[in-house]
Amino acid sequence: MSFLTRGCRTRHVRFQWTPLIPQPTRGVKKGPPKVERDDKGQVRKKKQKEGSSVFYPLPQAQLNIPLLQPPKPSLKIRAFDAEKISENMVGKTVAFEFSEHDPARKFGLPKKLLLEYRVLSKPYTVIRNVTLDVVGKLNQAKDSSSLDSRYVLTGRSGAGKSSVLLQAVEYCSQRKWVVIYIPRGVNLVNSSTPYTYDLRTQTYLQPQFAFQTLQRTLSVNSSILSSLHTTKKLFFEKRELPVRSSLTDLIAIGLKDASSAPAVLDALMAELGQQIKYPVLLAIDDFQALYCKTAYKDPFFTTIRPYHLSMPRLIMEFASGKRSLAKGAVLCATTDSDPAYPVPLELREALQIPYEHPQSPYDKRSTALVDYANGLTPIPVPEQLTLDEAASLFEAWKEEHVMAPVTYDELFLSKYTESSGNPREFVKGLLSTLST
């Protein structure tokens, strides 16, 4: 016996084997649910259990109950009419009647305006003194070059710049202008659409956004574009377009091949800039985003400059006067509520916007952006609504029954005072009564 085992007792241990039962774990994907089918192979619909919390619409016959009928509005609000905009309409509320081919319906709306209009049965707007100012400048621009009509709406956040820009778009649309409206210019630089590098132009093309712009421009201005023709023979990668072709045929090339949409859009803007039959309005909201740093990156993960992207570069060339429209105007609006894309220093100096913080003499300025911001004319939008404008807007919201039934005189004065007359804050104050 070895000395290692001397004096040790062996101990027998009995082990019992038990099979492991798999336990259900969270996040495990189950197989597809069983689908019951009838003799014809169609899926059978499951019957809803009684007492379940599912809301069904009332039948049409039961909607005649007086309790369910909305009260008849006592305030008659006129529709927005470009022919009737005058000094007598200042301070009055009008309703937009968006038709099937309206620019606001096809191009879209700014996000904050869209959320506001969803609360109302109809989109309302107030005619202000700045509206007459913008309309007067557009009337002068309809017979002159856009070199003299490059305007930017400026003002405090919530002052109503987007609303005034939409009024100008609707005005020009009703006056038979060619309207190209970009309500969310930030989408041109926030890397929300694909892009490709073009060796020919040494820029980054945005074919999808150009394709959508062509499609919406054709839908809004189809009758006008069909009467305009090209002035020269145009060549594209896969086909060519002869002289005197309709501009609708030109757009059709970009709609058939999305890869050629940026070149087609550039040719379309060149043709629209030469014709003198119809004035053209190029309207852009979130204009300051085109002068900020973009979210696009090159293969070396370096930030792409905005003027190296095809869509921002096209707009900035018309805004700076490098390219022009024979008849028409460029009207833009800045947005101060987006902290990711503030108004840059180059654009702030060109538009004479006061600085929010003290500036240092060592602040760098991009010479390219200074060149693209040259010649822009600011149109300041008042920060406050007048009492007549606020009262007219209050009456429209009251007729929509979006406010709690309280004493309206005190409510109007309190919300107007709390918001300091700021249009957006005034509307937010009215909506806040629903949560109290």
Side-chain angles (χ1 to χ4, degrees):
M1 182 180 293
S2 173
F3 70 95
L4 294 176
T5 60
R6 186 181 302 124
C8 296
R9 296 181 180 178
T10 60
R11 188 176 183 180
H12 299 279
V13 181
R14 180 178 295 178
F15 295 93
Q16 185 177 0
W17 178 81
T18 56
L20 295 177
I21 302 175
Q23 299 293 331
T25 57
R26 296 181 180 179
V28 177
K29 296 184 180 179
K30 299 180 179 180
K34 295 182 179 180
V35 179
E36 297 182 359
R37 300 181 181 273
D38 54 11
D39 299 337
K40 298 181 180 180
Q42 297 181 355
V43 180
R44 292 180 179 177
K45 296 182 179 180
K46 294 183 179 180
K47 294 183 180 180
Q48 190 69 30
K49 297 181 180 181
E50 296 182 0
S52 60
S53 57
V54 177
F55 296 94
Y56 295 96
L58 286 174
Q60 189 69 24
Q62 297 184 14
L63 295 178
N64 297 327
I65 303 175
L67 181 63
L68 301 178
Q69 296 295 326
K72 296 182 180 180
S74 59
L75 181 65
K76 295 183 179 179
I77 299 179
R78 302 179 182 178
F80 183 88
D81 190 356
E83 302 294 336
K84 297 182 180 179
I85 293 182
S86 60
E87 294 183 358
N88 297 329
M89 291 294 296
V90 175
K92 296 183 179 180
T93 302
V94 294
F96 287 125
E97 299 289 346
F98 294 146
S99 60
E100 182 180 359
H101 298 286
D102 193 88
R105 186 179 293 273
K106 295 300 180 180
F107 286 101
L109 291 171
K111 184 177 181 179
K112 293 182 178 179
L113 278 183
L114 179 62
L115 297 177
E116 179 181 328
Y117 290 162
R118 282 181 177 177
V119 183
L120 305 171
S121 61
K122 288 184 178 181
Y124 296 133
T125 186
V126 178
I127 304 299
R128 306 169 64 182
N129 287 319
V130 66
T131 305
L132 297 184
D133 188 15
V134 172
V135 168
K137 294 182 182 299
L138 291 176
N139 289 332
Q140 296 177 0
K142 67 180 181 180
D143 296 322
S144 60
S145 173
S146 64
L147 291 174
D148 304 325
S149 305
R150 293 174 286 134
Y151 305 107
V152 180
L153 299 172
T154 61
R156 178 188 167 189
S157 177
K161 301 182 291 294
S162 297
S163 298
V164 176
L165 181 63
L166 181 60
Q167 292 173 357
V169 169
E170 292 295 323
Y171 175 84
C172 293
S173 178
Q174 295 183 11
R175 296 297 296 268
K176 303 302 180 183
W177 285 47
V178 177
V179 177
I180 301 175
Y181 178 40
I182 300 179
R184 303 180 187 183
V186 68
N187 291 339
L188 297 174
V189 295
N190 63 359
S191 189
S192 59
T193 57
Y195 62 107
T196 58
Y197 185 73
D198 184 22
L199 290 173
R200 182 178 60 87
T201 60
Q202 295 184 357
T203 58
Y204 291 88
L205 305 180
Q206 297 168 289
Q208 183 177 351
F209 204 101
F211 176 85
Q212 295 175 354
T213 305
L214 288 174
Q215 192 176 37
R216 294 164 181 170
T217 302
L218 177 62
S219 180
V220 173
N221 312 284
S222 57
S223 59
I224 297 178
L225 295 177
S226 60
S227 62
L228 299 176
H229 302 85
T230 58
T231 57
K232 61 181 180 180
K233 192 174 183 179
L234 300 175
F235 297 91
F236 300 99
E237 291 183 0
K238 297 183 179 180
R239 59 175 300 179
E240 60 184 33
L241 193 68
V243 188
R244 299 295 300 171
S245 297
S246 174
L247 293 188
T248 56
D249 298 334
L250 173 62
I251 296 178
I253 297 176
L255 298 182
K256 291 180 180 179
D257 183 14
S259 62
S260 63
V264 172
L265 179 61
D266 186 82
L268 175 66
M269 294 303 300
E271 294 293 338
L272 290 176
Q274 295 179 8
Q275 60 85 30
I276 58 175
K277 189 175 182 180
Y278 296 97
V280 182
L281 175 68
L282 182 59
I284 303 97
D285 210 339
D286 296 337
F287 179 65
Q288 86 291 339
L290 306 184
Y291 291 77
C292 299
K293 291 184 178 180
T294 71
Y296 289 95
K297 304 293 182 180
D298 63 6
F300 300 99
F301 209 71
T302 304
T303 301
I304 299 176
R305 302 291 183 179
Y307 44 84
H308 290 162
L309 293 167
S310 61
M311 291 298 298
R313 186 185 183 94
L314 178 65
I315 296 172
M316 295 167 71
E317 285 180 348
F318 280 96
S320 61
K322 297 180 182 296
R323 299 174 64 175
S324 62
L325 303 167
K327 294 177 61 175
V330 179
L331 183 61
C332 311
T334 60
T335 301
D336 296 338
S337 58
D338 191 352
Y341 297 95
V343 181
L345 180 62
E346 297 84 359
L347 191 61
R348 187 178 292 272
E349 291 180 346
L351 299 176
Q352 302 175 3
I353 300 176
Y355 299 107
E356 297 179 354
H357 306 286
Q359 297 299 311
S360 169
Y362 300 101
D363 289 338
K364 295 182 179 180
R365 295 164 178 78
S366 172
T367 55
L369 293 180
V370 171
D371 191 22
Y372 279 115
N374 185 27
L376 295 173
T377 303
I379 301 180
V381 177
E383 299 180 0
Q384 298 178 341
L385 292 171
T386 63
L387 282 175
D388 294 337
E389 295 169 355
S392 178
L393 187 62
F394 181 84
E395 289 292 331
W397 282 82
K398 186 180 73 172
E399 290 297 324
E400 291 289 335
H401 302 280
V402 296
M403 294 179 289
V406 295
T407 307
Y408 290 115
D409 292 342
E410 286 82 352
L411 177 63
F412 168 73
L413 291 176
S414 63
K415 297 304 177 183
Y416 183 78
T417 305
E418 291 172 3
S419 62
S420 298
N422 185 269
R424 184 185 300 162
E425 298 299 328
F426 179 67
V427 172
K428 285 183 179 179
L430 300 181
L431 292 176
S432 66
T433 59
L434 297 176
S435 60
T436 57

